[in-house]
């Protein structure tokens, strides 16, 4: 994370960098904390990272998990300190004809401080590394993934009950309910 002095003079040290693990999921909890607003009562994947932003502490993420949909095998990748692990890789967002998802055990492991493009894995598929540091990182990732899988609940989402004026056939994109959710023409600014 790189922060310049024009964003918050007097609060953030100008021209500083941090290699702490932070995610866009952390924006809502962080901004809420900085504004002294309580978070609604529910589970959040993001954490309050105001200590990282204000250079007062470390990331609250031990691991940052990367999912690719509701895969019952769990996360496809994870950040852990300076490392990133990939249990599964695929053709990416653009896809490609004939490309297949690949599974790795142990996961592909990269030192993203030394190799930010993730071009040179520290592990090979199916090979247990002899380096004790890499072995310890893989053990921590294995335990962390097992803990994450123990907490994750897969299944059908259950929507909260409908509120006043809501219900079947009453939802729509660009919906002005007073006009029957007609989205033709310019958007209405009327209340």
């Amino acid at each position: 994370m790189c922060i310049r002095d024009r964003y918050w003079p007097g609060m953030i040290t100008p021209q500083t960098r941090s290699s702490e693990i932070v995610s866009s999921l952390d924006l809502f909890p962080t901004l809420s904390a900085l504004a002294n607003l309580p978070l609604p009562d529910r589970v959040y994947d993001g954490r309050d990272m105001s200590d990282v932003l204000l250079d007062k502490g470390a990331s609250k993420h031990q691991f940052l998990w990367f999912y690719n949909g509701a895969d019952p095998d769990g996360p496809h990748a994870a950040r852990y300190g300076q490392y990133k692990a990939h249990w599964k890789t695929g053709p990416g967002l653009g896809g490609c004809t004939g490309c297949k998802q690949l599974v790795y055990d142990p996961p592909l492991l990269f030192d993203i401080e030394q190799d930010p493009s993730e071009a040179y894995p520290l592990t090979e598929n199916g090979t247990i590394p002899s380096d004790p540091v890499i072995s310890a990182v893989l053990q921590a990732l294995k335990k962390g993934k097992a803990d994450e899988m123990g907490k994750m609940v897969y299944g059908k989402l259950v929507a909260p009950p409908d509120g006043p004026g809501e219900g079947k056939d009453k939802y729509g994109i660009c919906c002005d309910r007073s006009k029957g959710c007609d989205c033709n023409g310019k958007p209405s600014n009327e209340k």
Side-chain angles (χ1 to χ4, degrees):
M1 164 182 358
C2 184
I3 303 161
R4 297 176 188 265
D5 59 342
R6 63 179 176 219
Y7 291 111
W8 203 353
M11 294 298 291
I12 299 171
T13 307
Q15 305 297 318
T16 57
R17 284 192 152 228
S18 171
S19 60
E20 293 293 327
I21 299 172
V22 196
S23 164
S24 60
L25 297 171
D26 301 323
L27 281 173
F28 182 62
T30 302
L31 295 175
S32 295
L34 291 170
N36 291 320
L37 296 172
L39 290 172
D41 185 25
R42 62 185 60 158
V43 175
Y44 294 92
D45 291 330
R47 306 281 184 269
D48 170 13
M49 294 294 177
S50 52
D51 284 349
V52 173
L53 185 67
L54 301 174
D55 200 23
K56 293 181 180 177
S59 173
K60 293 180 182 171
H61 292 293
Q62 181 180 11
F63 301 96
L64 185 61
W65 304 105
F66 297 92
Y67 283 86
N68 186 8
D71 187 338
D73 291 335
H76 287 206
R79 271 290 310 270
Y80 175 63
Q82 71 191 63
Y83 299 98
K84 186 170 180 189
H86 291 269
W87 286 274
K88 292 184 179 182
T89 60
L93 294 175
C96 66
T97 305
C99 291
K100 296 179 182 174
Q101 186 175 72
L102 301 176
V103 179
Y104 301 94
D105 185 23
L108 291 176
L109 187 67
F110 300 91
D111 180 339
I112 59 172
E113 288 182 5
Q114 300 297 316
D115 177 22
S117 64
E118 300 174 29
Y120 305 101
L122 303 171
T123 55
E124 293 182 32
N125 194 28
T127 304
I128 304 299
S130 59
D131 183 316
V133 172
I134 302 304
S135 293
V137 168
L138 290 173
Q139 279 302 113
L141 284 159
K142 182 177 182 177
K143 182 183 180 322
K145 186 177 180 188
D147 291 347
E148 174 73 1
M149 295 294 295
K151 296 179 210 166
M152 194 63 178
V153 177
Y154 292 96
K156 187 175 181 182
L157 294 176
V158 178
D162 291 323
E166 298 178 334
K168 188 174 179 350
D169 300 325
K170 301 250 180 172
Y171 302 105
I173 298 173
C174 69
C175 185
D176 178 347
R177 291 192 179 123
S178 68
K179 296 181 179 181
C181 293
D182 181 5
C183 296
N184 294 325
K186 292 183 179 179
S188 173
N189 290 332
E190 299 170 17
K191 302 252 177 188

